[in-house]
Amino acid sequence: MIFDDAAQYRSSGFAPQVAIVGAGPAGITVARRLAKARIPCALLDAGGRVYSQESQDVYRGTTIGDPYFDLDATRLRYLGGTSGHWTGWTRFLDPHDFEKRDWIPNSGWPIGREAIEPHFASAREILGLPRFLDDLPISDDISRIHLIRSDPVRFGAKYAGELADSALIAVVLNTYATDLAAENGRVTAANINSNRRPAGRIDAPRFVVATGGIENSRLLLWSNETSSHPVVPEAAALGRYWMEHPEFEGGDIYVEDTGAYRAEVDGWAYFAPTPAAMRLNRLMNFHAVIMPRRYTGGKRLLAELACTAPAAAQWLAAKAGKNLSCGARVGLAWEQAPLPENRVTLSSDQRDYAGIPRVELHWKKGELERRTLLEGLKLFGATLATKDIGRIRIDEWIRNGGDYPTNQEMAGHHHMGGTRMSTDPTTGVVDGDCKVHGMENLYVAGSSIFTTSGYANPTATIVAFADRLGAHLAETRA
């Protein structure tokens, strides 16, 4: 069932066992899993069926720190959520991403990847993904990896018919859960605004917050300020440890034989460090990508290379006239260390139409991010040289420690952390089952639960975790 507002929903008499706030990939996945278990749920979405600037305005906010995208442009507020931005790239987090790494502060999940692996098949089905190919070792340090570029799923479009036909899922559009109310360790209701007017509350025995990697923190922070009892009783970590995937082009790459490393049909190829290499070099996880781009004027390129990398220029000259793919670019995307100072906070003076404080995002890349960029490119380049596959010329701004460019992508539009998973409520918000510490009936879904981020585009992992949460709620029904 799909209702256009809260009034239509109330007139139906629908009685949910679970109320899910947010109808993006995580919220829709949880709802579909509950429906399979015959558990009725309400699925609230603050937007409508399609994009509108009026709805999108609620996402305006301020970033303090490094340059970042406009906050109302980096996510979407309508049915299906930010899946409307997804370009199809994805991969599950690696097993070692879940492990404690002593050179990365605050790393280590309370669960291993084996906890979500039973849900990989469901995630692949939901997203229309083939099986991922095994990593292909190139050296002891670097492996060729399979990062899928699939046809991106727009959750609002793909599942609208199923949601409309379901007797167990009530989608309530244009209904903004402004805050949650709690009493004695339980959420009692979601206070709502529907069609831009106060519309009372929605009750349910259990609640799931699935509004996205920024809005999850915003909703819970504001709920803690407005509820007579705390919604997150132990809130030291709430909004903190926020992460992105920094993403920049890093240099020119010259490759003789793309057959040496299993390139994709379009010539793109992805590589990642082995766990041993990360441990030895004390680097965070990253992926390097070769992006073929043919240049003219090979002699000019050779001369430029000779000025900055004579050994590479000598190799290139020796290969001249052979099957040389010169002029490609190499890019790097990497994980960010989870630090408490990177956080989502509430504005003290800016509010949306409903009177809810807008977001202030505090985000800055540190020395470990800079080291992973430079040393990661060096490590990748060393493998290419040792295996006589190619040579890399790292861009000057990286070699000399210059400012990050602002005319590149900057980051992946991947919002992670803020309600991170931890056994310790002083460093996390949810436990290993995605339940908020100190609460009996409140859960969080989406990438805000990520403890660390790896390098993988997060959609597949988000969906696997959401499917797992839906299964857990079905197994522990009241």
Side-chain angles (χ1 to χ4, degrees), residues 179-182 187 219-220 223-224 227 229-234 436-439 442:
D179 61 286
L180 305 177
V187 171
L219 172 59
L220 294 174
S223 297
N224 259 14
S227 178
H229 292 77
V231 171
V232 181
E234 301 180 79
V436 171
H437 289 296
M439 297 297 285
L442 178 60

Side-chain angles (χ1 to χ4, degrees), residues 40-57:
C41 59
L43 186 59
L44 312 184
D45 196 279
R49 297 173 190 261
V50 297
Y51 175 94
S52 77
Q53 188 56 54
E54 185 179 56
S55 176
Q56 198 68 18
D57 178 78

